[in-house]
Amino acid sequence: MTDDTGESSASLPPPAPSTRRPDRAGARPITDPRLRRLYGWETLVVLSIFPLGSTIAAVTYLLMHVTTGVEYSNGSMVIAGEPGLSLTLSIGIVLSEFAAAALVVFLLVRNGEGVESIGLAGHRFRRDLALVLPVWVLVQWIPQAVGSALVTGLHLPRYTVVGPALPAAFVVVAILKSLQAAVVEEIVVLGYLVRRLEQRGWSATTVVVIAVLVRVSYHLYYGPGVLPIVLWALATVLVYRWLRRLLPFIVCHFVWDAGIAIGAYSHATAVAFDAVFLVGALVCTLLWSRERPAPAPLAPGPLLGGPASW
Protein backbone atom coordinates (compact mmCIF):
# COMPACT_ATOMS: atom_id res chain seq x y z
CA MET A 1 0.00 0.00 0.00
CA THR A 2 1.23 3.53 -0.79
CA ASP A 3 0.32 6.91 0.64
CA ASP A 4 -0.43 10.11 -1.29
CA THR A 5 3.26 10.73 -1.85
CA GLY A 6 3.73 7.35 -3.49
CA GLU A 7 5.90 5.97 -0.66
CA SER A 8 5.26 2.57 0.81
CA SER A 9 3.54 2.73 4.18
CA ALA A 10 5.79 -0.08 5.36
CA SER A 11 8.77 2.26 5.13
CA LEU A 12 7.17 5.05 7.16
CA PRO A 13 8.22 5.45 10.80
CA PRO A 14 5.68 4.41 13.43
CA PRO A 15 3.55 7.22 14.87
CA ALA A 16 4.94 8.96 17.92
CA PRO A 17 3.36 7.84 21.19
CA SER A 18 0.70 10.09 22.64
CA THR A 19 1.62 12.78 25.15
CA ARG A 20 -1.75 12.91 26.84
CA ARG A 21 -2.11 13.64 30.51
CA PRO A 22 0.17 11.42 32.61
CA ASP A 23 -1.74 8.63 34.32
CA ARG A 24 -1.52 7.93 38.02
CA ALA A 25 1.47 5.65 37.50
CA GLY A 26 3.55 8.80 36.99
CA ALA A 27 6.22 9.69 34.47
CA ARG A 28 8.00 6.84 32.72
CA PRO A 29 11.63 6.20 33.73
CA ILE A 30 14.20 7.55 31.28
CA THR A 31 16.63 5.04 29.77
CA ASP A 32 18.59 7.37 27.48
CA PRO A 33 21.81 8.16 29.43
CA ARG A 34 22.21 11.55 27.73
CA LEU A 35 18.72 12.60 28.71
CA ARG A 36 19.20 11.33 32.27
CA ARG A 37 22.37 13.42 32.64
CA LEU A 38 20.72 16.46 31.08
CA TYR A 39 17.70 16.28 33.38
CA GLY A 40 19.91 15.56 36.39
CA TRP A 41 22.02 18.69 35.91
CA GLU A 42 18.92 20.66 35.02
CA THR A 43 17.26 19.66 38.29
CA LEU A 44 20.31 20.65 40.32
CA VAL A 45 20.34 24.08 38.69
CA VAL A 46 16.64 24.62 39.40
CA LEU A 47 16.91 23.53 43.03
CA SER A 48 19.96 25.76 43.53
CA ILE A 49 17.72 28.71 42.65
CA PHE A 50 14.90 27.43 44.85
CA PRO A 51 14.76 26.13 47.51
CA LEU A 52 18.49 25.91 48.35
CA GLY A 53 18.82 29.53 49.50
CA SER A 54 15.61 29.37 51.51
CA THR A 55 16.69 26.11 53.14
CA ILE A 56 20.05 27.58 54.18
CA ALA A 57 18.27 30.62 55.62
CA ALA A 58 15.75 28.44 57.49
CA VAL A 59 18.50 26.30 59.05
CA THR A 60 20.44 29.44 59.98
CA TYR A 61 17.42 31.02 61.68
CA LEU A 62 16.73 27.76 63.52
CA LEU A 63 20.30 27.58 64.84
CA MET A 64 20.17 31.25 65.83
CA HIS A 65 16.97 30.68 67.77
CA VAL A 66 18.33 27.59 69.54
CA THR A 67 21.65 29.20 70.45
CA THR A 68 20.69 32.83 71.07
CA GLY A 69 16.89 32.94 71.28
CA VAL A 70 16.64 35.34 68.32
CA GLU A 71 13.35 34.89 66.46
CA TYR A 72 13.03 34.55 62.71
CA SER A 73 12.16 37.91 61.12
CA ASN A 74 10.04 38.00 58.01
CA GLY A 75 10.23 41.68 57.22
CA SER A 76 10.12 43.60 53.95
CA MET A 77 12.66 46.00 52.50
CA VAL A 78 11.88 49.02 54.68
CA ILE A 79 13.83 52.26 54.30
CA ALA A 80 13.17 54.86 56.99
CA GLY A 81 11.33 57.89 55.63
CA GLU A 82 10.87 56.35 52.17
CA PRO A 83 7.57 54.43 52.18
CA GLY A 84 7.09 54.61 48.40
CA LEU A 85 10.60 53.39 47.64
CA SER A 86 10.33 50.72 50.32
CA LEU A 87 7.09 49.39 48.83
CA THR A 88 8.54 49.40 45.30
CA LEU A 89 11.69 47.56 46.35
CA SER A 90 9.69 45.00 48.33
CA ILE A 91 7.45 44.27 45.34
CA GLY A 92 10.50 44.00 43.08
CA ILE A 93 12.17 41.51 45.41
CA VAL A 94 9.08 39.31 45.52
CA LEU A 95 8.66 39.42 41.74
CA SER A 96 12.28 38.30 41.29
CA GLU A 97 11.50 35.20 43.36
CA PHE A 98 9.23 33.87 40.60
CA ALA A 99 12.42 33.06 38.64
CA ALA A 100 12.60 29.39 39.62
CA ALA A 101 9.05 28.72 38.43
CA ALA A 102 9.68 30.63 35.20
CA LEU A 103 12.80 28.55 34.60
CA VAL A 104 10.89 25.30 35.12
CA VAL A 105 8.20 26.35 32.65
CA PHE A 106 10.88 27.31 30.11
CA LEU A 107 12.71 24.01 30.51
CA LEU A 108 9.56 21.90 30.24
CA VAL A 109 8.50 23.71 27.07
CA ARG A 110 12.01 23.63 25.61
CA ASN A 111 12.36 19.90 26.32
CA GLY A 112 9.06 19.23 24.56
CA GLU A 113 7.30 18.07 27.72
CA GLY A 114 5.14 21.14 28.20
CA VAL A 115 3.47 22.31 31.39
CA GLU A 116 0.77 19.67 30.88
CA SER A 117 3.39 17.11 31.94
CA ILE A 118 3.13 18.42 35.52
CA GLY A 119 -0.66 18.87 35.42
CA LEU A 120 -1.08 22.47 34.27
CA ALA A 121 -2.95 21.88 31.02
CA GLY A 122 -5.45 24.72 30.49
CA HIS A 123 -8.08 22.58 28.81
CA ARG A 124 -9.05 21.14 32.24
CA PHE A 125 -9.42 24.51 33.95
CA ARG A 126 -12.99 24.02 35.14
CA ARG A 127 -12.27 20.48 36.35
CA ASP A 128 -9.26 21.84 38.24
CA LEU A 129 -11.45 24.41 39.95
CA ALA A 130 -13.84 21.63 40.95
CA LEU A 131 -10.93 19.93 42.73
CA VAL A 132 -10.01 23.00 44.79
CA LEU A 133 -12.39 22.29 47.69
CA PRO A 134 -11.42 18.59 48.08
CA VAL A 135 -7.74 19.52 47.92
CA TRP A 136 -8.31 22.27 50.51
CA VAL A 137 -9.88 19.79 52.92
CA LEU A 138 -7.45 16.90 52.35
CA VAL A 139 -4.22 18.87 51.97
CA GLN A 140 -4.60 22.15 53.85
CA TRP A 141 -7.22 21.87 56.55
CA ILE A 142 -6.95 18.31 57.91
CA PRO A 143 -3.10 18.05 58.05
CA GLN A 144 -2.73 21.53 59.56
CA ALA A 145 -5.47 20.90 62.13
CA VAL A 146 -4.08 17.49 63.12
CA GLY A 147 -0.51 18.81 63.21
CA SER A 148 -1.43 21.82 65.33
CA ALA A 149 -3.37 19.58 67.75
CA LEU A 150 -0.34 17.28 68.09
CA VAL A 151 2.01 20.21 68.70
CA THR A 152 -0.32 21.50 71.41
CA GLY A 153 -0.96 18.08 72.93
CA LEU A 154 2.72 17.12 72.99
CA HIS A 155 3.72 20.59 74.26
CA LEU A 156 6.20 21.04 71.42
CA PRO A 157 7.72 24.52 71.05
CA ARG A 158 6.76 26.35 67.88
CA TYR A 159 9.13 29.16 67.10
CA THR A 160 7.25 32.24 65.99
CA VAL A 161 7.70 34.31 62.86
CA VAL A 162 7.98 38.00 63.62
CA GLY A 163 8.34 41.10 61.51
CA PRO A 164 8.31 44.86 61.81
CA ALA A 165 5.07 46.79 61.93
CA LEU A 166 4.37 47.90 58.36
CA PRO A 167 1.95 50.41 56.80
CA ALA A 168 -1.34 49.03 55.50
CA ALA A 169 -0.12 49.46 51.90
CA PHE A 170 2.34 46.62 52.51
CA VAL A 171 -0.57 44.16 52.49
CA VAL A 172 -0.03 44.22 48.72
CA VAL A 173 3.47 42.83 49.28
CA ALA A 174 2.13 40.19 51.65
CA ILE A 175 -0.49 39.01 49.14
CA LEU A 176 2.03 39.01 46.31
CA LYS A 177 4.42 37.03 48.51
CA SER A 178 1.64 34.50 49.12
CA LEU A 179 1.13 34.15 45.38
CA GLN A 180 4.87 33.76 44.82
CA ALA A 181 5.12 31.04 47.46
CA ALA A 182 2.17 29.14 46.01
CA VAL A 183 3.32 29.32 42.38
CA VAL A 184 7.02 28.64 42.96
CA GLU A 185 6.66 25.92 45.58
CA GLU A 186 3.98 23.96 43.75
CA ILE A 187 5.57 24.19 40.31
CA VAL A 188 9.16 23.55 41.43
CA VAL A 189 8.98 21.33 44.51
CA LEU A 190 5.77 19.47 43.71
CA GLY A 191 5.13 19.16 39.98
CA TYR A 192 8.66 19.43 38.59
CA LEU A 193 10.62 17.62 41.30
CA VAL A 194 8.17 14.72 41.55
CA ARG A 195 8.28 14.29 37.77
CA ARG A 196 12.07 14.28 37.62
CA LEU A 197 12.33 11.81 40.51
CA GLU A 198 9.88 9.49 38.78
CA GLN A 199 11.88 9.78 35.57
CA ARG A 200 14.89 8.53 37.50
CA GLY A 201 12.96 5.31 38.05
CA TRP A 202 12.90 5.61 41.84
CA SER A 203 10.23 3.87 43.87
CA ALA A 204 7.05 5.66 44.90
CA THR A 205 8.18 5.65 48.53
CA THR A 206 11.53 7.25 47.66
CA VAL A 207 9.84 9.90 45.53
CA VAL A 208 7.45 10.81 48.34
CA VAL A 209 10.17 10.90 51.02
CA ILE A 210 12.52 13.10 49.00
CA ALA A 211 9.78 15.48 47.88
CA VAL A 212 8.51 15.83 51.47
CA LEU A 213 12.02 16.41 52.86
CA VAL A 214 12.73 19.11 50.30
CA ARG A 215 9.36 20.74 50.98
CA VAL A 216 9.92 20.76 54.75
CA SER A 217 13.55 21.91 54.53
CA TYR A 218 12.79 25.60 54.00
CA HIS A 219 10.27 25.63 56.88
CA LEU A 220 12.71 24.40 59.52
CA TYR A 221 12.74 27.78 61.26
CA TYR A 222 9.56 26.61 63.02
CA GLY A 223 11.65 24.17 65.06
CA PRO A 224 9.72 21.22 66.56
CA GLY A 225 6.54 23.08 65.65
CA VAL A 226 7.20 22.20 62.01
CA LEU A 227 5.05 19.07 62.47
CA PRO A 228 1.94 20.59 60.78
CA ILE A 229 4.14 21.46 57.80
CA VAL A 230 5.41 17.86 57.66
CA LEU A 231 1.86 16.49 57.56
CA TRP A 232 0.85 19.11 55.00
CA ALA A 233 3.86 18.28 52.81
CA LEU A 234 3.12 14.55 53.01
CA ALA A 235 -0.54 15.05 52.14
CA THR A 236 0.39 17.38 49.28
CA VAL A 237 2.74 14.91 47.61
CA LEU A 238 0.42 11.91 48.08
CA VAL A 239 -2.70 13.68 46.81
CA TYR A 240 -0.83 15.28 43.90
CA ARG A 241 0.53 11.90 42.77
CA TRP A 242 -3.04 10.62 42.88
CA LEU A 243 -4.72 13.53 41.05
CA ARG A 244 -1.86 14.63 38.78
CA ARG A 245 -3.32 18.15 38.64
CA LEU A 246 -1.33 21.15 39.92
CA LEU A 247 -3.63 24.19 39.76
CA PRO A 248 -5.79 23.18 42.77
CA PHE A 249 -2.67 23.01 44.94
CA ILE A 250 -1.51 26.44 43.76
CA VAL A 251 -4.92 27.97 44.52
CA CYS A 252 -5.20 26.39 47.98
CA HIS A 253 -1.63 27.28 48.94
CA PHE A 254 -2.18 30.90 47.89
CA VAL A 255 -5.47 31.24 49.77
CA TRP A 256 -3.99 29.72 52.93
CA ASP A 257 -0.98 32.02 52.96
CA ALA A 258 -2.94 35.08 51.84
CA GLY A 259 -5.50 34.55 54.59
CA ILE A 260 -2.73 34.55 57.18
CA ALA A 261 -1.08 37.59 55.60
CA ILE A 262 -4.33 39.58 55.47
CA GLY A 263 -5.13 38.55 59.04
CA ALA A 264 -1.99 40.34 60.23
CA TYR A 265 -3.60 43.60 59.09
CA SER A 266 -7.32 42.90 59.61
CA HIS A 267 -8.85 39.79 61.16
CA ALA A 268 -12.33 40.59 59.87
CA THR A 269 -11.05 41.02 56.30
CA ALA A 270 -9.23 37.69 56.53
CA VAL A 271 -12.40 35.92 57.69
CA ALA A 272 -14.36 37.47 54.82
CA PHE A 273 -11.61 36.48 52.37
CA ASP A 274 -11.68 32.85 53.51
CA ALA A 275 -15.49 32.78 53.46
CA VAL A 276 -15.65 34.05 49.88
CA PHE A 277 -13.07 31.47 48.84
CA LEU A 278 -14.94 28.57 50.45
CA VAL A 279 -18.26 29.57 48.90
CA GLY A 280 -16.64 29.96 45.48
CA ALA A 281 -14.83 26.63 45.80
CA LEU A 282 -18.05 24.87 46.80
CA VAL A 283 -19.90 26.34 43.82
CA CYS A 284 -17.14 25.18 41.46
CA THR A 285 -17.23 21.68 42.91
CA LEU A 286 -21.01 21.43 42.58
CA LEU A 287 -21.02 22.81 39.03
CA TRP A 288 -18.11 20.97 37.44
CA SER A 289 -17.26 17.88 39.49
CA ARG A 290 -19.02 15.62 36.97
CA GLU A 291 -17.74 17.33 33.86
CA ARG A 292 -15.82 15.07 31.50
CA PRO A 293 -12.44 16.58 30.64
CA ALA A 294 -11.66 17.27 27.00
CA PRO A 295 -8.90 15.18 25.37
CA ALA A 296 -5.46 16.62 25.88
CA PRO A 297 -3.77 18.00 22.75
CA LEU A 298 -0.67 16.28 21.49
CA ALA A 299 2.62 17.93 22.36
CA PRO A 300 5.85 18.00 20.34
CA GLY A 301 8.45 15.32 20.99
CA PRO A 302 11.03 15.94 23.73
CA LEU A 303 14.63 16.95 23.45
CA LEU A 304 17.13 14.37 22.12
CA GLY A 305 14.38 12.37 20.42
CA GLY A 306 13.20 10.37 23.43
CA PRO A 307 9.66 9.00 23.75
CA ALA A 308 7.07 11.74 23.87
CA SER A 309 5.54 10.28 27.04
CA TRP A 310 8.72 11.27 28.91
Side-chain angles (χ1 to χ4, degrees):
M1 180 182 297
T2 60
D3 59 12
D4 293 339
T5 64
E7 296 183 11
S8 170
S9 59
S11 63
L12 296 177
S18 169
T19 57
R20 297 186 186 278
R21 180 175 62 91
D23 58 27
R24 291 176 183 176
R28 295 183 183 179
I30 294 174
T31 57
D32 186 330
R34 294 179 301 165
L35 201 56
R36 286 175 64 90
R37 286 194 299 270
L38 174 65
Y39 283 178
W41 283 109
E42 170 192 293
T43 304
L44 290 176
V45 170
V46 170
L47 295 182
S48 69
I49 298 174
F50 180 84
L52 179 59
S54 298
T55 299
I56 294 173
V59 173
T60 301
Y61 287 128
L62 176 61
L63 293 175
M64 289 175 58
H65 188 99
V66 171
T67 58
T68 68
V70 175
E71 294 182 319
Y72 167 60
S73 178
N74 189 25
S76 298
M77 178 63 69
V78 179
I79 302 175
E82 296 288 346
L85 179 59
S86 299
L87 183 61
T88 302
L89 288 175
S90 297
I91 292 175
I93 290 171
V94 175
L95 289 176
S96 70
E97 295 172 350
F98 281 90
L103 178 59
V104 165
V105 171
F106 169 77
L107 291 172
L108 291 175
V109 173
R110 177 179 179 271
N111 294 341
E113 300 165 279
V115 293
E116 58 269 21
S117 66
I118 59 173
L120 274 177
H123 63 279
R124 296 195 66 203
F125 181 70
R126 294 200 298 183
R127 186 61 178 260
D128 285 344
L129 292 182
L131 291 170
V132 166
L133 185 59
V135 168
W136 174 267
V137 174
L138 294 175
V139 171
Q140 296 289 159
W141 187 76
I142 292 178
Q144 294 280 0
V146 171
S148 296
L150 288 174
V151 169
T152 301
L154 296 174
H155 305 289
L156 298 176
R158 182 184 177 96
Y159 303 151
T160 58
V161 179
V162 298
L166 299 172
F170 275 82
V171 71
V172 175
V173 178
I175 294 175
L176 186 59
K177 180 66 177 179
S178 300
L179 179 62
Q180 174 268 324
V183 171
V184 174
E185 290 185 33
E186 305 309 329
I187 289 180
V188 176
V189 182
L190 188 58
Y192 174 78
L193 181 59
V194 166
R195 177 171 176 81
R196 288 293 183 255
L197 294 176
E198 290 174 343
Q199 289 173 321
R200 300 292 297 181
W202 292 352
S203 67
T205 300
T206 304
V207 171
V208 171
V209 169
I210 293 178
V212 169
L213 289 177
V214 172
R215 200 168 179 84
V216 171
S217 67
Y218 47 90
H219 293 96
L220 289 175
Y221 50 79
Y222 285 118
V226 77
L227 181 58
I229 301 295
V230 175
L231 298 182
W232 163 71
L234 179 60
T236 300
V237 177
L238 291 176
V239 176
Y240 170 73
R241 295 188 77 247
W242 177 47
L243 295 177
R244 298 288 171 178
R245 304 300 305 162
L246 199 59
L247 183 61
F249 296 87
I250 295 175
V251 172
C252 290
H253 191 156
F254 165 69
V255 171
W256 184 274
D257 284 7
I260 296 174
I262 295 171
Y265 293 86
S266 171
H267 176 71
T269 304
V271 171
F273 175 79
D274 289 338
V276 170
F277 160 73
L278 290 174
V279 171
L282 177 60
V283 170
C284 290
T285 299
L286 295 176
L287 286 178
W288 298 319
S289 60
R290 297 182 180 275
E291 181 181 87
R292 295 188 58 172
L298 297 180
L303 190 66
L304 301 183
S309 57
W310 289 351

